Amino acid sequence: MLILCDADLEQVGGLLLSRIEELVRNQGMGLVVIAGPEHALSVDSRSPLSAILPIDPNQTAAPTGTQQLPIPVALTNLAASTGELSLPTGISWEQMPPIFWLMRTEAVRPTASVLLASPKPDKGSRLPQLVPVVASQTVGAGQVWLQLTDETFRWRSGVACSQPARSRYWLQTIRRLARRKQVDFFDQAELIVEGQRFLEGDSASRCN
């Protein structure tokens, strides 16, 4: 797997980004992209990386100046229902220290899953809107993990300081994206169909 943390993606070069996209899509490589204040996810819309990110990078907003208001992070219902990103026993995400830098976007791809989010108060709605913090998307044989903050270091303090909460988060992330065994299985599978046209009621024995 490959981790790009607050990298200047414009300087990486189109050739290397195309190779990364190919490795993710065809070889099952896991890719983690972390947005940060230095380069703020600088991805050109024509970049091969833009098409595989779980959000539209052209519809993002990076905070400016010093951020003083804490941003709480919570597990989404989807992640909770699938058991994703569970914390050590006795610790909930509501108890985790907040972050102070978050690239904001609501342009999540239809095929993406938001696992961690921050509530966005909306006076006109009974339910709070959620701003993605961590989103994931399967791309071909691989998976892309986008983290819209580089402040997971804050999870080493506070109520979780006596528990390996930050280490557990990264361990789960790496395990999820290291999918080489699954890719090897898919590489060996082949579907062979005899014929080009089938009518309703035809026997499935015609397919190998």
Side-chain angles (χ1 to χ4, degrees), residues 86-148:
S86 61
L87 291 175
T89 303
I91 298 179
S92 65
W93 278 99
E94 287 72 16
Q95 296 174 294
M96 295 287 283
I99 59 178
F100 288 84
W101 192 95
L102 176 65
M103 173 164 280
R104 295 183 178 272
T105 182
E106 297 177 8
V108 180
R109 309 277 191 195
T111 55
S113 301
V114 178
L115 304 176
L116 291 178
S118 179
K120 174 186 175 183
D122 187 353
K123 297 181 180 180
S125 175
R126 295 182 179 180
L127 298 176
Q129 294 181 339
L130 297 179
V131 178
V133 176
V134 171
S136 175
Q137 177 173 249
T138 299
V139 179
Q143 190 170 19
V144 179
W145 186 278
L146 177 63
Q147 186 178 291
L148 291 165

Side-chain angles (χ1 to χ4, degrees), residues 108-184:
V108 180
R109 309 277 191 195
T111 55
S113 301
V114 178
L115 304 176
L116 291 178
S118 179
K120 174 186 175 183
D122 187 353
K123 297 181 180 180
S125 175
R126 295 182 179 180
L127 298 176
Q129 294 181 339
L130 297 179
V131 178
V133 176
V134 171
S136 175
Q137 177 173 249
T138 299
V139 179
Q143 190 170 19
V144 179
W145 186 278
L146 177 63
Q147 186 178 291
L148 291 165
T149 180
D150 65 341
E151 293 192 343
T152 59
F153 67 87
R154 297 187 183 276
W155 297 342
R156 293 184 298 184
S157 60
V159 68
C161 63
S162 61
Q163 299 284 351
R166 177 176 179 268
S167 299
R168 186 183 179 99
Y169 164 81
W170 277 109
L171 181 60
Q172 291 182 79
T173 300
I174 292 172
R175 280 180 173 175
R176 175 171 177 171
L177 270 68
R179 304 171 59 216
R180 189 63 252 173
K181 290 184 178 180
Q182 296 183 33
V183 173
D184 287 342

Side-chain angles (χ1 to χ4, degrees), residues 5-87:
C5 182
D6 199 8
D8 188 351
L9 299 176
E10 292 184 350
Q11 297 299 319
V12 172
L15 183 61
L16 182 54
L17 291 179
S18 295
R19 180 58 177 156
I20 291 174
E21 188 268 346
E22 178 186 354
L23 288 172
V24 172
R25 189 180 300 277
N26 299 326
Q27 301 299 320
M29 184 181 75
L31 174 64
V32 179
V33 179
I34 302 174
E38 292 295 326
H39 301 291
L41 199 64
S42 55
V43 183
D44 188 275
S45 59
R46 297 167 295 179
S47 168
L49 201 62
S50 176
I52 65 175
L53 289 175
I55 69 166
D56 184 351
N58 297 310
Q59 299 185 44
T60 58
T64 58
T66 303
Q67 308 301 303
Q68 299 180 348
L69 297 178
I71 304 172
V73 176
L75 205 64
T76 63
N77 292 335
L78 174 62
S81 64
T82 57
E84 299 281 354
L85 300 181
S86 61
L87 291 175

